[in-house]
Amino acid sequence: MFSSSEETELRQVTELYGKVKELILFCEENHEEFKSNLHEVKELRDAFDHLMRIFAVKLGVKEEKNEEYLKINMEKVFGHVYRAGYDTLDYATLILRDKINKEVSGFSHSAIQAAIPTYYSEIRPAVESITSDIIKLRNDKDVANRSPEVFDKYFQNVKNLHKMFDAILKTKPALIEFTNKRKKEQLNDTLVKIAIGIIIGIALAIIGKIFI
Amino acid sequence: MVKVESVWDKDFGEIIVDREKTKKFSYRYRGSMRMTMGLFFSNNEYEHWRKKVLSEKMP
C-alpha cells in the first residue's frame, strides 16, 4: 500500500510519536497537580486528522487527483507531531526545573555546596542552559521543521535533567543533616556566648562588690 | 450533516474548554478522569504557569 519512501516517513513519525507520548505521560505524572496540556492534545488530534487523509486516499475512501496531496499531508503530520513534541519538551523542562528548585530552595548556599558538590558547578548551569535553549527553540517559528537530530538532542536534555533531579533527591538526607548540624552548632555557639556573658557579668558584679 | 467527500479537507477548530462547565457536567461524561476533574491547562493558563516557574530564581 505504501512506497518504500512513504514507509520510511511513517516509521520516522511513529518513532517520533513514541517519544512525544513518553514525554506527555511523564508530564501528566510529574506535574504537581497532575495537569495535562490541551495544546499538545490539539496538535496530536490535528496530526491524526492528516494521517487519516492519507489513509483515506490509500484505501480508496477518498478520491484524490492532486499528486502532491499525500506529500503535503505527510508534511503536516510531521509538523503537528513536532509541535506537540517541542511543546511537551518545554512542559517537561519546566516541571523538572520547578521540582529541582523546590527541593533545594530553603537551604543555605553552604549547605547545598556541602551536600551537592556539583550543584553550582554543573547542575544549576545545566538547568539554566537547558531551560533557555528550549525557550529559544519554542519561540522559533520553524519548530515544525523536520530534524530528528535536534529533537533527540532536546529529548536527551530532558532525560539529563531528570537524572539531575534524581541525584538531588538522593542527596536530600545529607542536605537536611548538614542544615541540622549547622543549626546545632549555631545554637551551641549562642549558648556558649550567653554563658560567657553571664560569667563576665557575675565576675564584674563580684569585682564591683570588692572594690566599691 | 456535511457530505463525507467535503469533510476530509476541513480542519478542526481550536479546543476551547470551560473548566467549570466540564466539572459541572462530569456526571454525564464517560471520558478522561483528568478532564472530568478539570486537571488540564488551557493555553493561557499554561503560559501563566510557565512565567511563574521561570520567574522563580534558583538558589
Side-chain angles (χ1 to χ4, degrees):
Chain A
M1 181 163 69
F2 293 105
S3 67
S4 65
S5 66
E6 287 168 342
E7 210 175 298
T8 309
E9 286 187 311
L10 283 171
R11 178 174 291 280
Q12 280 175 356
V13 83
T14 307
E15 284 168 359
L16 176 65
Y17 172 75
K19 288 176 183 160
V20 176
K21 186 175 177 183
E22 185 183 335
L23 282 168
I24 290 176
L25 290 175
F26 169 81
C27 291
E28 286 184 349
E29 286 162 11
N30 285 278
H31 181 261
E32 58 185 350
E33 292 172 44
F34 306 106
K35 281 187 175 178
S36 48
N37 191 351
L38 285 186
H39 190 66
E40 293 146 13
V41 176
K42 180 208 171 285
E43 292 296 343
L44 291 182
R45 178 200 63 179
D46 292 345
F48 175 75
D49 186 49
H50 287 285
L51 197 59
M52 282 299 106
R53 292 180 202 187
I54 294 170
F55 277 104
V57 173
K58 285 285 179 185
L59 297 169
V61 178
K62 180 185 187 305
E63 197 180 320
E64 185 55 55
K65 285 166 190 161
N66 180 2
E67 286 175 8
E68 294 286 292
Y69 188 82
L70 292 178
K71 198 179 157 204
I72 292 167
N73 277 289
M74 189 64 89
E75 287 290 332
K76 298 253 182 186
V77 174
F78 269 98
H80 286 297
V81 180
Y82 266 121
R83 261 186 232 109
Y86 283 116
D87 281 346
T88 322
L89 281 171
D90 182 75
Y91 190 17
T93 305
L94 292 179
I95 286 173
L96 286 164
R97 181 196 163 97
D98 194 36
K99 275 177 169 269
I100 291 173
N101 203 359
K102 281 179 178 150
E103 287 300 332
V104 291
S105 62
F107 291 99
S108 67
H109 293 280
S110 54
I112 296 171
Q113 179 64 37
I116 317 164
T118 55
Y119 180 79
Y120 289 105
S121 59
E122 290 172 25
I123 296 178
R124 196 182 139 172
V127 173
E128 296 290 359
S129 134
I130 291 170
T131 313
S132 63
D133 276 0
I134 198 75
I135 290 169
K136 271 187 222 154
L137 193 79
R138 193 170 173 263
N139 292 337
D140 187 351
K141 285 176 184 166
D142 289 335
V143 82
N145 275 358
R146 279 196 221 181
S147 172
E149 293 80 19
V150 174
F151 187 86
D152 283 347
K153 186 187 138 205
Y154 288 97
F155 186 72
Q156 204 49 51
N157 277 348
V158 168
K159 292 208 158 185
N160 290 341
L161 263 187
H162 199 189
K163 278 182 197 157
M164 288 175 203
F165 173 65
D166 285 343
I168 287 175
L169 277 188
K170 279 181 191 154
T171 53
K172 194 76 188 276
L175 200 55
I176 295 168
E177 199 182 330
F178 181 90
T179 308
N180 289 342
K181 200 176 153 193
R182 187 49 67 85
K183 272 184 191 167
K184 260 188 190 169
E185 283 169 3
Q186 279 172 347
L187 184 69
N188 286 344
D189 277 357
T190 314
L191 289 175
V192 168
K193 277 175 192 166
I194 291 170
I196 291 171
I198 292 169
I199 291 166
I200 290 172
I202 293 169
L204 285 175
I206 294 167
I207 292 167
K209 279 252 177 171
I210 295 168
F211 293 102
I212 299 168
Chain B
M1 281 293 265
V2 196
K3 279 184 186 173
V4 173
E5 267 305 308
S6 61
V7 115
W8 284 106
D9 293 314
K10 280 186 184 292
D11 289 328
F12 287 115
E14 284 295 311
I15 300 178
I16 301 163
V17 188
D18 181 331
R19 176 175 287 99
E20 292 315 309
K21 271 188 190 166
T22 313
K23 285 193 209 169
K24 190 176 170 185
F25 295 107
S26 60
Y27 66 95
R28 300 186 60 174
Y29 181 61
R30 295 283 174 270
S32 157
M33 186 57 82
R34 254 196 190 84
M35 294 292 282
T36 315
M37 294 175 73
L39 293 177
F40 54 83
F41 279 123
S42 68
N43 249 3
N44 291 342
E45 288 165 346
Y46 179 70
E47 287 305 322
H48 183 75
W49 174 79
R50 193 170 183 270
K51 276 184 189 159
K52 188 179 145 273
V53 172
L54 288 172
S55 68
E56 283 163 5
K57 283 194 173 175
M58 299 187 73

